[in-house]
Amino acid sequence: MAGSVQRRQVEAGKPYEVFHTDCPARDVVDHVTSRWGVWVLISLRSNSLRFYELRDSIQGISEKMLAQTLRALVQDGLVWREVEPTTPPQVTYGLTDFGHDVGEPLTELFDRITQRLPPRSE
């Protein structure tokens, strides 16, 4: 089943067995679909943001959870991190090409959901 979700061939390695608990792809999926991972990817979909801007854009997230989520997404290669050596340091985050690829279906899902919900009453 080449190209299926269950087994995907990487260029020069062995296939990922995504249904096995020790598959590294599962960790990435867990980070993306975590409570806050989805919101970080959606928040960064159109532009890079500084840490505090990202925190303010995602209501309900604590600084600790944002930092942990960003750390995991940076380690997975979905988000890049740039530190400006100022006092205090200014840290900016944005999506890598991989992050854009993964975030695109999430954005489409988000858009479909919000288009189908009944109008909000104010």
Side-chain angles (χ1 to χ4, degrees), residues 24 26-34 36-37 40-41 64-81 93 96 98:
R26 281 182 80 151
D27 291 335
V28 175
V29 170
D30 287 344
H31 296 152
V32 168
T33 60
S34 70
W36 300 112
V40 168
L41 292 176
K64 178 182 177 183
M65 283 310 303
L66 179 57
Q68 287 177 356
T69 302
L70 285 167
R71 194 174 305 117
L73 295 174
V74 167
Q75 185 175 1
D76 293 339
L78 297 162
V79 172
W80 55 262
R81 177 181 190 265
Y93 295 90
T96 63
F98 183 30

Side-chain angles (χ1 to χ4, degrees), residues 36-112:
W36 300 112
V38 170
W39 299 113
V40 168
L41 292 176
I42 289 173
S43 292
L44 292 173
R45 68 184 168 196
S46 35
N47 58 343
S48 58
L49 296 171
R50 292 206 170 122
F51 183 88
Y52 73 90
E53 293 171 324
L54 193 51
R55 183 199 62 212
D56 292 346
S57 74
I58 306 171
Q59 292 185 2
I61 193 169
S62 68
E63 287 190 16
K64 178 182 177 183
M65 283 310 303
L66 179 57
Q68 287 177 356
T69 302
L70 285 167
R71 194 174 305 117
L73 295 174
V74 167
Q75 185 175 1
D76 293 339
L78 297 162
V79 172
W80 55 262
R81 177 181 190 265
E82 180 181 57
V83 180
E84 295 177 39
T86 59
T87 306
Q90 294 181 345
V91 184
T92 305
Y93 295 90
L95 294 180
T96 63
D97 288 341
F98 183 30
H100 280 288
D101 287 347
V102 170
E104 188 174 323
L106 296 174
T107 298
E108 289 176 15
L109 176 65
F110 176 78
D111 291 343
R112 286 182 186 191

Side-chain angles (χ1 to χ4, degrees), residues 15-26:
Y16 285 108
E17 298 290 340
V18 297
F19 290 105
H20 291 165
T21 57
D22 61 346
C23 179
R26 281 182 80 151

